[in-house]
Amino acid sequence: MKRRDFIKNASLTGVGLTVGSSLLSCNENSSEKTKTNTIMALNDLKAPIAICTWGFVSANAKAGEELSKGIKALDAAIAGVSVEEDNIKNTTVGKGGAPDREGNVTLDACVMDSNGDCGSVVCVENITNVAALAKRVMTETPHVMLAGSGAEEFAYSQGFESDNLLTDSSKKVWEEWLKSPEYKPLINIENHDTIGMLCIDKDGDIAGACTTSGLSYKMKGRVGDSPIIGSGLFIDNDIGGAVGTGMGEEIMKTVGSFLIVELMRNGMSPQQACKEAVQRITRKNSHFKDFQIAYIAINKSGDVGSYCIHKGFTYMKYQNGKNENIHSDHYVKS
Ligand code: GLY
């Protein structure tokens, strides 16, 4: 059954799409205001725009090029992040990603479209382009999330090819780690760990993608924020979008990307919303100096913001043919 039929049947049979309905009802009171704001924002917007976490120059340029050709936001974001999924030198995304502590490379990804549809895959082995696979879950199944071997089998049924994701160089580094295998998963503070991308296309529609191999040497089966809609990525086409990177457990505890979009709905700029979302974490977790969290966000007018715990996080912004790397403001000043 295709997703659209499933949703139609679900509403006919009274199966509750509770989350979707409550999100809609949040909007009801202000729907006229939102419509007016959206029209005003579209008039001011200098689309297309692509932003992504960290200094992934080529990935963001790819998304920008796709958007400039008129490709819709979701496909541009997937094309952009696939550059890093294919990049075997990147040890935190796609092929070449660091394995779990048992030597298996397992990937997580999600996508969210401007109409509120989304798809996700978790703990997938042997498939490189997991963001594209997440889109297939969204468009070709009645579900949002597929995990592990089920996601992998679904990928083959969709024509994806099996690949060995553990490169010789990632294997060597993991073998070194095994020599003193204290369980302490690594997260980078000054280096990339996830590519999250947000795009606004020529029609002013917003969509995004998020993809990662997660923490290096994680426990088998560990899943972080990146494939969790609302944590690693969230889009509301009336308001804007957000993506997170860093210690996934902390992002999940505060549903960070959803929080940022809701803060923007209530009037904050993308910058203010990212800062508040980081500070929810620093207020509640006294160990915040031990890990990095970073968010980027964009609103319907194309304003962009970013905030992180530690100095060192940068993000890319493509607009008007210019692809720039921007340093984020950060919480820990000393
Ligand atoms: N942010 C990536 C992860 O925690 O897996």
Side-chain angles (χ1 to χ4, degrees), residues 45-51 67 198-200 298 302 304 317-319:
L45 180 66
K46 291 188 187 71
I49 303 169
I51 60 172
L67 290 166
L198 301 167
C199 292
I200 305 190
I298 195 163
V304 166
K317 179 181 175 191
Y318 177 100
Q319 189 173 25

Side-chain angles (χ1 to χ4, degrees), residues 220-259:
K220 184 174 183 183
R222 180 267 182 190
V223 172
D225 61 303
S226 302
I228 310 296
I229 298 296
S231 288
L233 167 70
F234 195 74
I235 305 288
D236 182 324
N237 199 42
D238 290 335
I239 305 297
V243 282
T245 175
M247 185 60 84
E249 282 72 7
E250 300 303 319
I251 294 175
M252 285 192 278
K253 285 182 211 168
T254 48
V255 201
S257 294
F258 181 73
L259 172 63

Side-chain angles (χ1 to χ4, degrees), residues 87-102:
N87 175 7
I88 59 169
K89 291 193 179 141
N90 182 340
T91 58
T92 56
V93 177
K95 183 168 176 156
D100 65 16
R101 61 182 176 176
E102 294 174 34

Side-chain angles (χ1 to χ4, degrees), residues 133 176 217 308 316:
L133 181 59
E176 270 307 304
Y217 321 130
C308 59
M316 297 299 306

